[in-house]
Amino acid sequence: MQLQDILYSQGFGTRRVCAGLIQQGLVQVYESGPSEAPVKCLQAAAEFAAEGLRFQVQGVDWPYAEKAYILLNKPTATECSQKPSTYPSIYTLLPSPLRLRPQKGAVQGVQAVGRLDQDTTGLLLLTDDGKFIHRMSSPRHHVPKVYEVRVKHPLDARQVDQLLAGVVLDDDPKPVRAAACEAVSEFHLRLTLTEGKYHQVKRMVAAVSNRVEALHRSQMGGLRLPDDLAPGQWRWLSAADLASIAGG
């Protein structure tokens, strides 16, 4: 694959822009592996095996990824929208190549897999793999999601039992139940859900006469939010990470 096409596929601009980056000496390629120093390449049409390739653009390391799978620790007061109404978009936290990766559809770049409210923090996946988004969003998939909930009123066993048994929300006569639920402390509830209704955690907690004061998603499937990933930071997901989400 030509180097300019590799850069284009990774979101570094049009093919002409990518060729310009290369010809200006701004692209270096790890030809002998990541442990060796990268080598400057000035030929836009130079051929490389894309799979497993690592390179630098303007001094920043990038791995080639046929599809991008990203984990973001979503901070509070951000919106999961390309066109936010009140707060900054989560997409402003990502480098421009991830936002500009070419797509066949009208929307470029990675998209959030589901949404978290502006005041909800924690684990958020983003990808440009439409099939993955569809699979993760499908009701049939039932990926468990773990939420850390700070509540306004002291928790008691009755509330936990109600959430496990099922509560009725105003838009559906069928009870909605937590897959797991525990009172970690007097005001800290750990809730596991396998479906994603609108404002579901807040509405379920309200249904047992309590109120959510803060909400944080800590886990999806078997993937936990890393302790060393600060709010607003992101990282690439590995194949093992992806397997752990699906496998639970």
Side-chain angles (χ1 to χ4, degrees):
M1 197 169 172
Q2 291 187 0
L3 186 56
Q4 62 185 352
D5 292 331
I6 290 174
L7 261 59
Y8 168 74
S9 74
Q10 304 302 289
F12 286 93
T14 64
R15 285 183 174 82
R16 180 175 290 182
V17 167
C18 293
L21 288 169
I22 296 163
Q23 289 157 4
Q24 291 169 51
L26 299 175
V27 179
Q28 297 177 299
V29 179
Y30 290 93
E31 294 181 336
S32 308
S35 59
E36 300 293 324
V39 177
K40 188 179 293 184
C41 180
L42 298 172
Q43 301 300 317
E47 297 269 346
F48 292 93
E51 193 61 41
L53 186 70
R54 297 188 73 89
F55 52 91
Q56 282 189 0
V57 179
Q58 294 177 295
V60 178
D61 266 35
W62 284 89
Y64 172 82
E66 184 177 355
K67 292 291 182 185
Y69 302 94
I70 301 300
L71 166 64
L72 173 71
N73 185 354
K74 180 190 174 295
T76 189
T78 53
E79 294 184 30
C80 295
S81 172
Q82 298 277 10
K83 297 178 180 177
S85 57
T86 310
Y87 296 92
S89 167
I90 55 160
Y91 296 100
T92 63
L93 300 169
L94 303 175
S96 109
L98 289 177
R99 304 198 307 268
L100 297 176
R101 287 173 68 95
Q103 289 267 53
K104 289 178 181 174
V107 182
Q108 290 182 306
V110 295
Q111 306 299 311
V113 181
R115 291 189 173 197
L116 295 177
D117 294 341
Q118 57 85 12
D119 56 351
T120 301
T121 61
L123 193 158
L124 185 67
L125 304 180
L126 300 104
T127 183
D128 58 349
D129 183 346
K131 290 181 179 177
F132 179 79
I133 293 174
H134 178 73
R135 192 167 75 247
M136 294 296 289
S137 306
S138 168
R140 296 195 306 272
H141 204 61
H142 293 308
V143 176
K145 302 174 181 73
V146 181
Y147 295 89
E148 312 299 328
V149 191
R150 196 172 80 238
V151 298
K152 183 172 185 178
H153 307 295
L155 293 160
D156 57 42
R158 178 189 60 82
Q159 292 177 355
V160 172
D161 290 343
Q162 273 185 289
L163 289 166
L164 287 169
V167 295
V168 175
L169 305 181
D170 52 21
D171 64 346
D172 191 346
K174 194 169 73 172
V176 176
R177 55 181 58 87
C181 182
E182 63 169 313
V184 180
S185 66
E186 191 177 20
F187 295 96
H188 178 186
L189 183 73
R190 181 168 293 136
L191 194 66
T192 303
L193 303 178
T194 56
E195 52 191 323
K197 294 177 179 286
Y198 180 70
H199 286 171
Q200 185 172 346
V201 175
K202 293 173 182 175
R203 292 159 69 207
M204 287 179 72
V205 170
V208 298
S209 304
N210 212 321
R211 179 175 161 179
V212 172
E213 295 284 277
L215 185 57
H216 176 84
R217 185 157 70 192
S218 58
Q219 188 171 340
M220 283 181 71
L223 179 67
R224 294 177 183 275
L225 186 67
D227 293 333
D228 60 354
L229 194 69
Q233 290 188 336
W234 65 276
R235 70 170 174 82
W236 295 91
L237 289 177
S238 67
D241 291 332
L242 290 168
S244 75
I245 297 166

